[in-house]
Amino acid sequence: DDEDGDEGEEGEGEAGAGKKKKKKKKKGGGGGGAVVKTFKLPEQDNSPLLLIANWKARDDHRQCAEFNIPIGEQYPDADYPLGEIQEYVGDNAFRTTSAEKRELERLHTYDYEKIRKAAECHRQTRRYVQSYMRPGMTMTDVVQRLEKKTHELISANGLECGWGFPTGCSLNWVAAHWTPNYGDNTVLQYDDVCKLDFGVQVGGRIVDCAFTVAFNPKCDSTIQASKSGTNAGIKAAGIDARMGEIGGTSRGPSSPTKSS
C-alpha cells in the first residue's frame, strides 16, 4: 500500500493547482526496518575441544564466513538477539505479570541494548576462537587473534566500546587471570587445561564469559562437573537471591579426574 510521503507531485501552473497530490511510496526499509544481508554458515566442528558443542549450520546468519562484518552493520536497527531468557521463579514470579515491574523493566531497555550488542560480539568471537585454538599454538597468538577479532567486530572506539579486560587464558594449576606478556613463548599442549575468559564492553556495560578448553579425554569428568555447577548456579540466581544459596546450589559433589 502507498504511504504518505513528505511531499506530493504537483502539476505545473494553474492547471496543476487543482490536481490532487499523488502519494509517494516510501523506499524499502521504511519504518526503521533496514535491509540486512544474510549468509549461509556451515556447521562448525568443535570435536577437538572437549565437551564444547558444534555450532549449528545456519542459512540466515548475519555474519559471513570470514567473520569480518561488525556487529553494528549486522544489526543496523539495534535488534540484537535476546539470547537465553531465564524466567523469574519462586517469590519473584510476580515480576512477570506486575504492570509496575514490567514498566521498570522497560526503562532498562537502554542498558539491555548495549548489553545485547556486547553479548552478540562475544558469541561470534567465541565461535571464531573455537575454530582455531589447538595444541601447538603459543598463548600469545591465541590471545592476540581473539582480541583483534573482538575489536574488529565491536568496532572498538576508545572508552565507548572494546575489550572488557585483558584476556585470561590460565593454564592448569593457575586458577584465573593469567595472560601472556609480549615475548612470552608458552605453548598450548595437548594435556593442558585452559580457562579462557574474555569480555566485551559497550558503553561501560561488560559482558563476560569463560569456558574450559581441553583436548585430553582424561579431563571429561572435571569439565562436566564444572558445567553442571555453573548451570545450576545460573538457575538459582536472580533478584533477592542470596549469594550463599547460589554458591551452595552450584557446588555439587566433586568428580575425580580420570587417571592417565
Side-chain angles (χ1 to χ4, degrees), residues 49-69:
L49 311 175
L50 293 183
L51 299 177
I52 295 181
N54 293 351
W55 291 90
K56 296 180 180 179
R58 284 184 54 181
D59 294 333
D60 60 346
H61 208 293
R62 300 193 184 191
Q63 182 59 272
C64 65
E66 292 75 24
F67 271 77
N68 57 14
I69 302 176

Side-chain angles (χ1 to χ4, degrees), residues 238-254:
I239 297 172
D240 295 332
R242 296 180 180 274
M243 301 302 293
E245 293 175 354
I246 297 174
T249 301
S250 62
R251 189 187 307 115
S254 60

Side-chain angles (χ1 to χ4, degrees), residues 90-138:
D91 293 339
N92 282 311
F94 78 99
R95 294 175 179 273
T96 304
T97 56
S98 167
E100 178 184 359
K101 296 302 182 183
R102 289 169 66 113
E103 177 62 15
L104 287 173
E105 186 86 354
R106 186 190 66 78
L107 294 176
H108 286 295
T109 300
Y110 176 81
D111 292 323
Y112 293 159
E113 181 179 296
K114 288 177 168 50
I115 292 169
R116 285 171 176 146
K117 180 178 183 180
E120 183 59 23
C121 177
H122 198 292
R123 183 167 25 250
Q124 294 188 21
T125 304
R126 195 160 67 244
R127 176 171 181 161
Y128 173 73
V129 71
Q130 289 171 2
S131 72
Y132 71 77
M133 192 171 177
R134 300 290 185 269
M137 296 184 66
T138 65

Side-chain angles (χ1 to χ4, degrees), residues 10-182:
E10 300 184 48
E12 297 180 358
E14 294 181 0
K19 290 185 178 180
K20 187 177 180 180
K21 293 182 179 180
K22 295 181 179 179
K23 295 178 180 179
K24 294 175 71 176
K25 288 186 177 181
K26 288 186 177 180
K27 295 181 179 180
V35 177
V36 178
K37 189 174 182 180
T38 58
F39 304 86
K40 288 186 177 181
L41 281 186
E43 181 178 22
Q44 179 170 301
D45 179 15
N46 279 345
S47 58
L49 311 175
L50 293 183
L51 299 177
I52 295 181
N54 293 351
W55 291 90
K56 296 180 180 179
R58 284 184 54 181
D59 294 333
D60 60 346
H61 208 293
R62 300 193 184 191
Q63 182 59 272
C64 65
E66 292 75 24
F67 271 77
N68 57 14
I69 302 176
I71 303 301
E73 294 182 16
Q74 296 177 44
Y75 298 92
D77 294 327
D79 54 335
Y80 307 110
L82 299 183
E84 181 179 346
I85 302 296
Q86 295 288 336
E87 299 293 342
Y88 290 115
V89 297
D91 293 339
N92 282 311
F94 78 99
R95 294 175 179 273
T96 304
T97 56
S98 167
E100 178 184 359
K101 296 302 182 183
R102 289 169 66 113
E103 177 62 15
L104 287 173
E105 186 86 354
R106 186 190 66 78
L107 294 176
H108 286 295
T109 300
Y110 176 81
D111 292 323
Y112 293 159
E113 181 179 296
K114 288 177 168 50
I115 292 169
R116 285 171 176 146
K117 180 178 183 180
E120 183 59 23
C121 177
H122 198 292
R123 183 167 25 250
Q124 294 188 21
T125 304
R126 195 160 67 244
R127 176 171 181 161
Y128 173 73
V129 71
Q130 289 171 2
S131 72
Y132 71 77
M133 192 171 177
R134 300 290 185 269
M137 296 184 66
T138 65
M139 298 309 297
T140 300
D141 189 23
V142 170
V143 169
Q144 287 182 338
R145 289 178 63 177
L146 183 156
E147 293 183 344
K148 180 179 179 182
K149 184 58 64 177
T150 301
H151 263 199
E152 180 182 10
L153 294 185
I154 205 61
S155 300
N157 180 23
L159 296 178
E160 175 56 31
C161 57
W163 302 323
F165 46 82
T167 300
C169 53
S170 306
L171 295 173
N172 306 320
W173 57 85
V174 181
H177 303 155
W178 178 81
T179 193
N181 293 317
Y182 285 102

